[in-house]
Amino acid sequence: MMAAKLSTIVAMAGLVVPAASFTLRAPARSAGTRSMARSQLKMDLPERTKKATLTVPSNIGVGTLAWGDPRRGFGETYNAGDIMGAYNTLVEGGVTFFDTAEVYGYQSMKQEMSSEQLLGNFADTNYKYTPMIATKYMPVLWANKLVGGGFRGGRRAVVNALEASLERMGRSYVDVYQVHFPFPYIGGNKALYEGLARCHERGLCNGVGVSNFNAKQVEVAYRELEKRGVPLVSNQVELSLCNQKALEDGTIDKCKRLGVTVLAHTPLAGGLATAKYTAMNPTGGKLGAKGKFRFETLQKFGPMHAALQTVAKRAGAREDMKITPTQVALNWVVAKGAVPLPGVRNTRDAEEVVGAVGWRLRAEDLELIDSAVEQGMAAPAKTKKANPMADRW
């Protein structure tokens, strides 16, 4: 029974349990490098200011769900070297906010290649740039089955988990510590929020956030943390041209009223919101490949794909640069008041994200796109169950 429950929670977190162990190994991180990084961070700690709000550079960040995850292709279609190239391209291009979690790529933790471990390694190697890092706490009793440690419950478990995350990253603090998703917590929500507050008080995180919370849940979290003198700085929700539930149900509006920054995972809807996959090109240009989305879904979003291509051309003309439909889709999320967190696995992905920085959509662009989307949003899109997860978090 516990195995069944674990499978359900893993699915909620956007994870896939591997059928076999993963054996790819990374070069060992230098103990001296780790020590120097920690020492520098500890020296900087007194000068840091705990923030009441979250400001993300360039208004665009990156999600790292696929980093270290063999079931998403890590070790086969991309590797640590590919991701490091992406990381360097991103930070050099002004995209320095990275969203990770203790359970991302947990299958590769023994090889020191989980998402947190890779991110810490890249930051140590490319020390010229200081990334902003947000990680997450999985509030489930048996999360230790994935990442080690004791059973999850009570306020101390929250602190212990963050300390373990910091150890994996070779850091003394993160910019944001988030609750991964709303779930009945062992010890009660009081213990959960007290644990988060304690992390903040001890300087283990600059800010506290939540993830996948609706408007009512955000309000509760905000008030609970407020009682403890800790501001709620962020809420991470799913938002894309193809999934606007967070806009429609009042979640984003509630966050704006409370001064909570909205982070958007799955901003490209697994590729559906990029015009890469269309009714005329269902495989994304891969000859002989199986279509990723149902043909009727691609047909339904045909007007949106056409609008993205039109806006990309005219925005590129006025900005005197090449702009792609993917970059338009990311800037649509920004225009709706959220920070998109697209997934990247290689330098090509990273260049696409960097290309979305430094320009914005105009009112006429948004009007054209929104009008086209209305035709596709009249009925829920039917995509294969695994597809939306391709770009999640």
Side-chain angles (χ1 to χ4, degrees), residues 115-136:
S115 176
E116 289 182 329
Q117 290 165 325
L118 289 171
L119 185 54
N121 197 347
F122 300 156
D124 284 352
T125 302
N126 192 345
Y127 53 83
K128 181 179 178 181
Y129 300 91
T130 302
M132 291 182 68
I133 296 178
T135 193
K136 305 184 191 74

Side-chain angles (χ1 to χ4, degrees), residues 190-214:
K190 179 180 179 181
L192 175 63
Y193 291 118
E194 285 181 352
L196 293 168
R198 184 166 294 185
C199 290
H200 190 258
E201 291 163 2
R202 289 182 51 185
L204 301 179
C205 61
N206 278 348
V208 172
V210 292
S211 186
N212 302 299
F213 278 41
N214 61 29

Side-chain angles (χ1 to χ4, degrees), residues 67-366:
W67 293 15
D69 190 338
R71 289 297 292 268
R72 296 179 189 280
F74 182 70
E76 295 184 7
T77 59
Y78 63 99
N79 56 37
D82 295 323
I83 303 173
M84 184 170 185
Y87 175 88
N88 290 336
T89 297
L90 290 162
V91 295
E92 291 165 10
V95 179
T96 58
F97 183 88
F98 294 84
D99 176 71
T100 185
E102 58 181 348
V103 292
Y104 289 176
Y106 72 91
Q107 304 95 328
S108 303
M109 195 171 289
K110 290 182 180 179
Q111 292 78 34
E112 294 195 1
M113 298 182 80
S114 70
S115 176
E116 289 182 329
Q117 290 165 325
L118 289 171
L119 185 54
N121 197 347
F122 300 156
D124 284 352
T125 302
N126 192 345
Y127 53 83
K128 181 179 178 181
Y129 300 91
T130 302
M132 291 182 68
I133 296 178
T135 193
K136 305 184 191 74
Y137 175 70
M138 195 173 186
V140 180
L141 179 64
W142 49 88
N144 63 317
K145 295 282 186 179
L146 304 180
V147 298
F151 284 111
R152 295 289 170 88
R155 60 190 181 188
R156 182 61 201 173
V158 183
V159 179
N160 289 343
L162 180 51
E163 289 176 335
S165 286
L166 294 172
E167 174 66 22
R168 285 188 286 270
M169 290 185 279
R171 297 174 65 90
S172 61
Y173 73 95
V174 291
D175 293 276
V176 186
Y177 194 36
Q178 309 160 92
V179 179
H180 206 140
F181 45 77
F183 193 79
Y185 189 63
I186 302 300
N189 281 339
K190 179 180 179 181
L192 175 63
Y193 291 118
E194 285 181 352
L196 293 168
R198 184 166 294 185
C199 290
H200 190 258
E201 291 163 2
R202 289 182 51 185
L204 301 179
C205 61
N206 278 348
V208 172
V210 292
S211 186
N212 302 299
F213 278 41
N214 61 29
K216 183 177 180 180
Q217 291 164 337
V218 167
E219 176 82 38
V220 171
Y222 182 92
R223 300 304 173 198
E224 287 296 324
L225 289 168
E226 186 179 44
K227 293 176 186 176
R228 296 162 175 81
V230 178
L232 177 66
V233 301
S234 66
N235 179 28
Q236 187 173 151
V237 299
E238 181 171 356
L239 176 65
S240 72
L241 281 160
C242 303
N243 186 334
Q244 301 184 31
K245 181 181 178 182
L247 280 171
E248 298 163 351
D249 67 10
T251 298
I252 290 180
D253 184 57
K254 171 66 72 174
C255 290
K256 287 181 179 179
R257 291 203 303 270
L258 295 174
V260 174
T261 297
V262 178
L263 305 174
H265 69 71
T266 329
L268 300 176
L272 184 59
T274 65
K276 176 181 179 180
Y277 304 96
T278 66
M280 297 297 292
N281 183 20
T283 65
K286 295 181 180 179
L287 295 177
K290 186 177 180 181
K292 189 176 183 181
F293 302 99
R294 290 189 175 92
F295 182 71
E296 58 267 28
T297 298
L298 296 174
Q299 277 189 314
K300 184 166 58 175
F301 286 104
M304 178 193 73
H305 294 148
L308 287 173
Q309 292 167 338
T310 297
V311 171
K313 289 179 181 178
R314 71 187 188 191
R318 67 173 180 252
E319 298 290 340
D320 194 24
M321 60 185 287
K322 182 180 179 180
I323 291 175
T324 68
T326 295
Q327 292 161 353
V328 172
L330 291 175
N331 268 295
W332 178 89
V333 174
V334 174
K336 297 302 178 179
V339 176
L341 302 175
V344 300
R345 305 181 185 191
N346 51 52
T347 301
R348 183 179 63 254
D349 293 344
E351 289 172 344
E352 189 85 76
V353 174
V354 170
V357 173
W359 60 275
R360 291 291 176 258
L361 296 174
R362 293 182 176 178
E364 57 266 29
D365 299 327
L366 293 169

